[in-house]
Amino acid sequence: MQNSERVAWRIDEVLPRNAVIDFSRRILPDALTGTGGIRCLTEAEQLKLNHIRTNSYAHLFLFLEEYVVALMSQRAGLELHSNPTQMRALIRFTEEEIKHQQLFARYNNLFAEGFKLAPALLDNHVQVARAILTKSQLAILIFNLHMELMTQQHYVETIRDNGDEQLDPLFCSILKHHWLEETQHARLDYLEAQKVLSQAPDAAAALEQAMTEYTELLAAVRGTLIAQLELDIQTLEKSLGRTFTEAERKEIFDAQERSYVWTFIGMGMKAPLFLSRVRSLSPVAEQRILDLAPTYYA
Ligand SMILES: [Fe+2]
Ligand SMILES: [Fe+2]
């Protein structure tokens, strides 16, 4: 708790209302957007797609954090009259996720102003959050651990020490601040998952069910990513004033599908801290993830 108070920040400090996005350079690295190798696009067009992907990335966090807010406020409620320290930590977690949603929403607005066109974005986040919340608490906590550690992996592996790309410092700073708080969240996800498991009448069966549901949640995320990808291509065509041929569209779609799946699914499943946390819950669960991994990335 003390540590989470120390790293906490305000939205205005990280993204002032008068902040300016530098559209002359990449915003997210190519490792997370996969636009650099698309041959049917010129360099300037690849850059446009990098920007569209960045805006979608911010939106997808806003989107995915919707279920986290619901989950963590439920978990906090369970601590009422029992553990005030844990309850405070979970309420703080909930509050921070709402703050992250507001931060990313502000970024999307700022982006639309600077980009001169409002990109098409998915709007069914409440529906998706409700669908996620039909799963068991253990499954959602493991899925959330994946998401939190994936976020950290993005920052640490591709942004923090990236000396090869001159990225827009504004978004790098946003992701740095997001990462600082997500580090605290991942600890809490793990503690909550341990608690649920220790209270289960049959831990092995609960874990087996949770891993099946985790797989279903990944499939649902994939569907969401593809739906956003379709919108990204529409936005790209609109902003370039160009209609892609079937072959061009396929090249862009395939490259972007690979990139989306790797960024949001592969990088989470492969994050060393995610695997080690799941291993300490159960080596059988970690093995399920390792067996599943080739479905999502080679
Ligand atoms: Fe967050
Ligand atoms: Fe988080």
Side-chain angles (χ1 to χ4, degrees):
M1 178 56 127
Q2 275 172 351
N3 202 25
S4 76
E5 279 172 347
R6 204 163 43 237
V7 300
W9 40 262
R10 289 187 307 112
I11 298 178
D12 282 336
E13 292 162 358
V14 176
L15 185 59
R17 289 192 187 277
N18 59 354
V20 177
I21 299 173
D22 184 351
F23 286 99
S24 71
R25 36 171 124 176
R26 278 184 187 157
I27 306 178
L28 272 178
D30 202 50
L32 301 182
T33 53
T35 60
I38 303 177
R39 282 163 310 154
C40 68
L41 297 178
T42 65
E43 223 170 286
E45 290 171 338
Q46 290 172 359
L47 186 65
K48 252 302 175 225
L49 183 54
N50 173 283
H51 296 162
I52 293 167
R53 279 292 302 276
T54 300
N55 185 58
S56 298
Y57 182 90
H59 179 69
L60 283 164
F61 274 103
L62 182 159
F63 200 92
L64 287 167
E65 283 172 348
E66 188 73 16
Y67 80 83
V68 190
V69 171
L71 171 70
M72 288 307 160
S73 50
Q74 285 171 5
R75 302 291 319 161
L78 295 174
E79 301 296 338
L80 187 63
H81 311 309
S82 63
N83 185 340
T85 307
Q86 185 66 358
M87 188 171 179
R88 258 189 91 194
L90 292 167
I91 288 173
R92 185 171 194 99
F93 186 156
T94 310
E95 190 273 334
E96 284 174 355
E97 294 297 16
I98 300 172
K99 179 177 72 176
H100 298 172
Q101 286 186 306
Q102 291 176 333
L103 170 76
F104 288 122
R106 187 185 283 189
Y107 187 83
N108 286 145
N109 288 336
L110 197 68
F111 185 96
E113 275 169 34
F115 196 67
K116 312 269 188 274
L117 169 91
L121 296 167
L122 294 173
D123 61 1
N124 58 334
H125 56 293
V126 175
Q127 242 174 301
V128 168
R130 286 193 181 132
I132 293 173
L133 289 164
T134 61
K135 307 294 184 194
S136 66
Q137 294 264 300
L138 187 57
I140 310 171
L141 286 163
I142 292 173
F143 175 70
N144 201 38
L145 191 60
H146 167 125
M147 288 294 156
E148 315 260 27
L149 291 169
M150 170 206 86
T151 310
Q152 294 177 42
Q153 202 66 9
H154 290 172
Y155 178 71
V156 172
E157 233 186 55
T158 74
I159 296 166
R160 187 170 59 181
D161 300 317
N162 188 334
D164 301 335
E165 290 168 291
Q166 292 269 308
L167 303 169
D168 179 18
L170 178 67
F171 204 66
C172 293
S173 160
I174 290 175
L175 294 186
K176 179 182 173 187
H177 287 87
H178 191 225
W179 164 71
L180 282 170
E181 291 186 345
E182 294 297 323
T183 315
Q184 305 299 318
H185 296 177
R187 276 186 50 251
L188 282 167
D189 286 323
Y190 176 66
L191 291 175
E192 290 293 300
Q194 258 186 334
K195 186 192 282 174
V196 173
L197 202 54
S198 70
Q199 291 166 346
D202 180 345
L207 207 61
E208 172 70 28
Q209 185 201 342
M211 294 316 291
T212 301
E213 290 175 327
Y214 164 74
T215 311
E216 291 163 1
L217 288 170
L218 291 186
V221 167
R222 187 184 194 132
T224 298
L225 298 173
I226 300 305
Q228 183 56 54
L229 164 55
E230 298 280 2
L231 297 177
D232 292 350
I233 296 178
Q234 273 178 32
T235 302
L236 182 63
E237 282 189 319
K238 217 166 158 185
S239 71
L240 299 177
R242 166 181 168 188
T243 307
F244 298 123
T245 64
E246 263 313 299
E248 286 170 340
R249 197 179 186 286
K250 184 172 178 346
E251 190 198 349
I252 298 168
F253 184 93
D254 290 350
Q256 289 297 289
E257 181 182 28
R258 260 196 315 280
S259 166
Y260 259 124
V261 170
W262 167 246
T263 299
F264 285 88
I265 300 181
M267 282 184 82
M269 292 177 95
K270 233 190 155 179
L273 197 52
F274 176 59
L275 289 171
S276 71
R277 291 294 203 197
V278 173
R279 191 184 319 133
S280 18
L281 291 176
S282 145
V284 178
E286 185 200 16
Q287 196 53 49
R288 285 277 299 267
I289 294 171
L290 295 172
D291 292 343
L292 187 67
T295 320
Y296 290 101
Y297 61 92

